[in-house]
């Protein structure tokens, strides 16, 4: 039987994360070199390398008998735990009734796009998840390039908003930021909030990396600065290394009532509620405990060490610049210094750059600029520094905390040799590109061959 797919779905491009996954798998299967057996140096996937905290695992087991549907916005204990968590870690006073739980922040952001009228303002570079959703919902959108600072500039935001004649605009603020690892200061947020008030801009503040901020004193939620106009989203995926649990939450702006009813309608229509046992596990993850506190502290210290190493090592490559991460497990490396040499090797767009770096002998996966909503010819790339055994690194850190710079270097070498080797491969790649030796790159796929 032949099924006819709805045109709306046919028109959607494959989201970049899926495309990347498929590409890597296919490449891996078809690569003739024995080195391919080990896979690749993985700077592409943004997944926390750590274990799910033990108290969450225990809570999940204990609650496996909870077979009843949960209330649409989430079980009460969880909404309360999330409110307490936000107060404890982010200094935010929120009524638990403002918290709605959903199957991941990605879904909740999609639901917010569904209910909120208005043109979307998307600062670039951006996380690869937003654009396919915006396109799927056929929303109007405008990019807001962040230029060299890689952060939203309030004047540019105002200029763009003045050109948009929609009654309402929706700004996607991702703080801390994927792909740059950068953090907005209180002052920067205040400047953005002033423009938002003036121009009637609603903010979806995706703060899924908040808990990974290396210096927690520096993190300020937009929900505190612009409480009347901000939807804050966060979840278990990054801070609790539980992306597979599929649980996120949104904190509604202050003084909103009717909208919450509309939102509830959407959630009830689309997924009823998040799995009840998972919600109980999440209670353990959001409640304040010594175990969770230690978990957050150790994981953020390790992210910081890996981030510092990756930044230093990649910027030590001649001509390469990068954002210096202050949170998350990403940085944005800028390889544009090599634009003309890359063009000499017939690599004119960033997707080809990412594809050529995965080939033998480099075996290195990064996310190219076009997947980050940058110009196709911008050779910037996101590098995630998570390719190591997080459980082992966690134990090693706990048993023997690296203190000095050389302890930290040793920690990276011992715990994350693939990060070290992967960056060496990037260096080697550019040495080859420089010498125009790229004709030596062999690949089974003609379409991916990098001509000399
Ligand atoms: C910026 C950002 N927002 C949202 C998500 C998705 O989070 P969740 O797993 O809660 O859907 C990700 C995951 O990579 C992300 O990087």
């Amino acid at each position: 039987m032949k099924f006819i797919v709805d045109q709306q779905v046919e028109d959607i491009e494959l989201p970049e994360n899926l495309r990347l996954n498929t590409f890597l798998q296919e490449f891996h299967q078809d690569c003739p070199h024995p080195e391919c057996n080990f896979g690749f140096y993985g700077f592409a996937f943004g997944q926390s390398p750590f274990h799910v905290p033990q108290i969450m695992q225990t809570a999940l087991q204990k609650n496996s008998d909870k077979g009843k549907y949960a209330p649409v916005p989430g079980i009460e204990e969880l909404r309360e735990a999330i409110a307490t968590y936000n107060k404890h870690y982010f200094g935010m006073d929120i009524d638990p009734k403002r918290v709605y739980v959903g199957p991941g922040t990605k879904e909740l952001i999609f639901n917010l796009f569904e209910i909120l009228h208005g043109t979307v303002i998307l600062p670039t570079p951006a996380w690869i998840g937003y654009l396919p959703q915006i396109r799927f919902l056929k929303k109007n959108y405008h990019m807001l390039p962040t230029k060299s600072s890689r952060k939203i500039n309030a004047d540019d935001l105002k200029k763009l908003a003045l050109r948009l004649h929609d009654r309402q605009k929706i700004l996607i603020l991702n703080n801390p930021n994927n792909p740059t690892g950068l953090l907005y200061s209180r002052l920067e947020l205040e400047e953005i909030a002033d423009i938002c008030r003036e121009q009637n801009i609603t903010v979806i503040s995706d703060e899924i990396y908040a808990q990974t901020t290396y210096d927690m004193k520096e993190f300020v939620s937009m929900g505190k600065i612009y409480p009347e106009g901000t939807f804050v989203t966060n979840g278990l995926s990054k801070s609790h290394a539980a992306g597979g649990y599929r649980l996120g939450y949104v904190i509604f702006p202050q003084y909103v009532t009717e909208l919450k009813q509309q939102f509830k309608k959407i959630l009830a229509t689309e997924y009823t509620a998040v799995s009840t046992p998972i919600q109980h596990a999440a209670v353990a993850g959001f409640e304040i405990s010594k175990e969770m506190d230690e978990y957050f502290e150790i994981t953020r210290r390790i992210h910081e060490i890996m981030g510092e190493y990756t930044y230093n090592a990649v910027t030590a490559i001649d001509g390469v610049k990068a954002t210096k991460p202050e949170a998350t497990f990403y940085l944005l490396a800028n390889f544009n210094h090599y634009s003309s040499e890359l063009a000499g090797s017939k690599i004119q767009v960033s997707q080809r750059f990412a594809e050529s770096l995965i080939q033998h002998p480099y075996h290195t996966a990064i996310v190219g600029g076009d997947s980050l909503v940058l110009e196709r010819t911008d050779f910037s790339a996101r590098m995630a520094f998570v390719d190591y055994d997080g459980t082992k690194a966690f134990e090693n850190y706990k048993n023997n905390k690296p203190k000095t710079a050389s302890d930290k270097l040793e920690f990276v070498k011992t715990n994350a040799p693939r990060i070290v080797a992967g960056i060496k491969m990037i260096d080697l790649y550019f040495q080859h590109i420089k010498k125009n030796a790229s004709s030596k790159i062999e690949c089974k796929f003609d379409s991916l061959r990098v001509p000399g």
Side-chain angles (χ1 to χ4, degrees):
M1 186 155 170
K2 185 158 170 26
F3 296 100
I4 303 164
V5 175
D6 193 277
Q7 193 60 43
Q8 194 194 0
V9 177
E10 284 267 19
D11 291 347
I12 301 283
E13 285 171 46
L14 198 63
E16 290 295 341
N17 45 347
L18 259 184
R19 201 186 316 167
L20 187 74
N21 223 335
T22 314
F23 168 74
L24 290 176
Q25 263 171 15
E26 281 177 4
F27 173 75
H28 192 205
Q29 272 163 17
D30 293 353
C31 178
H33 302 280
E35 294 94 323
C36 289
N37 289 335
F38 92 102
F40 42 81
Y41 301 109
F43 295 104
F45 292 114
Q47 171 130 269
S48 169
F50 299 109
H51 54 286
V52 175
Q54 191 54 49
I55 50 172
M56 284 172 63
Q57 297 187 37
T58 309
L60 182 58
Q61 280 156 9
K62 268 200 201 144
N63 287 284
S64 60
D65 63 332
K66 303 276 188 309
K68 294 209 164 53
Y69 289 115
V72 178
I75 58 173
E76 233 165 77
E77 303 97 290
L78 178 55
R79 297 169 82 194
E80 276 163 18
I82 291 170
T84 312
Y85 173 84
N86 274 274
K87 171 84 183 147
H88 184 84
Y89 287 106
F90 312 131
M92 259 180 41
D93 271 310
I94 49 163
D95 184 332
K97 291 198 181 67
R98 284 172 60 194
V99 177
Y100 272 54
V101 175
T105 29
K106 191 179 205 177
E107 180 67 34
L108 287 167
I109 292 168
F110 187 75
N111 300 143
L112 289 172
F113 285 145
E114 284 178 304
I115 59 159
L116 292 170
H117 165 85
T119 301
V120 179
I121 299 175
L122 181 64
T124 60
W127 171 51
I128 44 191
Y130 306 123
L131 199 54
Q133 297 193 346
I134 297 167
R135 288 199 178 128
F136 184 78
L137 292 170
K138 297 195 166 42
K139 290 189 92 72
N140 285 332
Y141 67 93
H142 275 267
M143 315 286 194
L144 178 62
T146 55
K147 304 189 197 149
S148 59
S149 75
R150 295 299 187 197
K151 289 192 195 175
I152 301 166
N153 170 305
D155 290 338
D156 291 347
L157 176 64
K158 182 167 179 171
K159 272 186 219 141
L160 175 58
L162 284 170
R163 280 177 29 221
L164 307 176
H165 298 296
D166 231 323
R167 280 171 296 153
Q168 181 172 274
K169 296 116 198 150
I170 307 160
L171 171 67
I172 304 290
L173 176 73
N174 178 209
N175 179 40
N177 188 266
N178 171 5
T180 64
L182 297 178
L183 194 64
Y184 283 83
S185 69
R186 176 180 286 273
L187 186 66
E188 287 163 340
L189 293 177
E190 281 169 353
E191 285 172 2
I192 295 169
D194 286 345
I195 307 295
C196 291
R197 285 194 183 97
E198 189 189 293
Q199 299 295 325
N200 198 22
I201 303 174
T202 300
V203 176
I204 297 177
S205 190
D206 179 350
E207 300 180 1
I208 191 137
Y209 294 97
Q211 189 62 270
T212 66
T213 306
Y214 307 154
D215 180 357
M216 278 296 276
K217 290 192 303 300
E218 298 299 317
F219 173 75
V220 183
S221 172
M222 190 59 155
K224 264 170 86 172
I225 306 290
Y226 183 38
E228 73 278 26
T230 302
F231 294 81
V232 175
T233 59
N234 201 338
L236 289 180
S237 299
K238 312 297 170 179
S239 44
H240 299 67
Y245 275 39
R246 305 310 304 132
L247 188 137
Y249 64 83
V250 51
I251 302 171
F252 271 72
Q254 260 173 349
Y255 318 123
V256 167
T257 46
E258 214 271 323
L259 190 73
K260 278 198 276 192
Q261 288 313 314
Q262 301 290 348
F263 197 68
K264 202 166 165 178
K265 207 164 74 183
I266 294 266
L267 305 201
T269 305
E270 294 187 13
Y271 49 78
T272 309
V274 173
S275 143
T276 314
I278 289 293
Q279 295 203 38
H280 284 279
V283 172
F286 287 121
E287 269 175 357
I288 311 307
S289 66
K290 223 174 130 247
E291 181 175 338
M292 283 312 305
D293 208 47
E294 182 190 53
Y295 180 90
F296 295 140
E297 180 55 18
I298 293 181
T299 53
R300 81 163 66 88
R301 288 285 74 85
I302 299 176
H303 288 317
E304 182 181 27
I305 292 171
M306 299 300 176
E308 199 175 8
Y309 175 84
T310 306
Y311 173 81
N312 288 337
V314 83
T315 54
I317 301 173
D318 189 26
V320 176
K321 295 194 206 107
T323 53
K324 190 158 201 258
E326 300 164 288
T328 78
F329 31 80
Y330 311 108
L331 56 74
L332 187 75
N334 177 341
F335 301 107
N336 286 302
H337 175 77
Y338 291 98
S339 299
S340 47
E341 284 95 336
L342 285 162
S345 297
K346 302 253 176 355
I347 297 172
Q348 267 113 357
V349 293
S350 59
Q351 193 186 339
R352 299 259 306 136
F353 165 49
E355 287 169 355
S356 62
L357 196 54
I358 193 72
Q359 290 172 26
H360 184 72
Y362 312 110
H363 307 275
T364 301
I366 47 130
V367 176
D370 63 336
S371 302
L372 308 168
V373 204
L374 288 169
E375 294 289 332
R376 282 158 51 87
T377 50
D378 186 332
F379 293 106
S380 296
R382 188 190 78 176
M383 292 176 67
F385 32 89
V386 287
D387 190 357
Y388 58 93
D389 181 338
T391 308
K392 245 195 222 158
F394 188 98
E395 278 313 307
N396 290 344
Y397 184 94
K398 203 170 151 177
N399 295 336
N400 187 11
K401 289 187 184 53
K403 293 190 186 75
T404 63
S406 70
D407 290 350
K408 288 177 186 168
L409 186 60
E410 212 35 57
F411 183 83
V412 176
K413 286 185 180 160
T414 312
N415 291 282
R418 292 167 70 102
I419 292 184
V420 177
I423 298 173
K424 283 197 182 127
M425 280 302 178
I426 297 176
D427 191 8
L428 182 71
Y429 174 91
F430 283 112
Q431 284 175 34
H432 287 173
I433 286 285
K434 257 198 293 199
K435 286 189 211 141
N436 207 8
S438 51
S439 55
K440 289 198 191 110
I441 300 170
E442 290 167 29
C443 182
K444 215 170 162 226
F445 301 146
D446 270 347
S447 62
L448 301 180
R449 189 180 296 278
V450 182

